[in-house]
Amino acid sequence: MNRRPKSLRVLALLVILAGTLQSTLEAQNFGRLSLSVIDNQGEPIEGVLVLGTCSLLESLRIEKTTNSKGKAILAFADATKTYDLHFEKEGFTSIDIRIKPEVRKTVTRTITMPPKSAGGGQPNANMAPGEVIRFTPAEEAFNRGVTAIRASDLAAGKLDIMRALELDPKMAAGHAALAGIYLEEKDYHAALESAQTFQQLDPENSQSYRILYSAHNALGNKAEAAAALEALKVSGGGQDAAIMTYNEGVAALKIGASSSAKARFIDALALQPNLIPAHTALIAIYMDEGDFAEALASTDRLLALEPDNG
């Protein structure tokens, strides 16, 4: 039962809506960095501690450890800033680099850490990223694909991602990107197949559960969708996945695909029910669609989270 009179709820709805879509489109600067850490022989290094800091965000401290394949994924809430990354593991020369992520993009990088016995000493903390970062042909194709997708050229992006997978069939990020493309194309069976391959290649990455959830949910496989959602929460990736899914909705809004955006915002709230921007974005979409009942229901949910808005 609603405790507020309807007139106050409507007033709150109008206040919430003021500038909602514009702020939704402008506020999100999320970015991700997919790292592969290898030795001088090109072999992956497990157990590398990766520490991320930012001189403009004193309280920020990102801490990850590479898995058995030498991989780690770093998520940045604000990809417009520059970050310092420190790589260390006993027996290897520590590496420090300064890097600027790319907004709404997952970029792959390969970092080489030579064994201490190989010499070379400590690199300069302010070295240019290119001094220790190199791209394989597969990574170059992958990054071209991501750039094309960001420019709303899904067809070109798909071709580049598929090319990357031809060059490196075990590129987990490529299968993840392809699964995302299939989701956008509404080819949910293909999305499931790519997501399952992604999960086999990188079982510690919770993003696969997010894709499996979205695909199963779209196909009406309620039990499978619920299982994927629960696995995602248990894996600890729910918050990160919610932000990613929300940002996919923002990207869809930018190209006018409001139905796709609405689906992404609903998925984001299934992962993180207190994600305020997703609630406000949904309210704006419902109002634009003329679905005032759902707009008011969403307003009630938002006011339950932020009573001061009422």
Side-chain angles (χ1 to χ4, degrees), residues 44-48 65-72 201-205:
I45 308 175
E46 180 180 6
V48 175
T65 303
T66 58
N67 63 19
S68 59
K69 298 181 180 179
K71 295 184 179 297
L201 292 169
D202 194 358
E204 297 177 27
N205 192 326

Side-chain angles (χ1 to χ4, degrees), residues 150-162:
R150 185 184 177 194
S152 301
D153 192 346
L154 197 64
K158 183 178 180 180
L159 287 175
D160 280 321
I161 297 297
M162 294 178 78

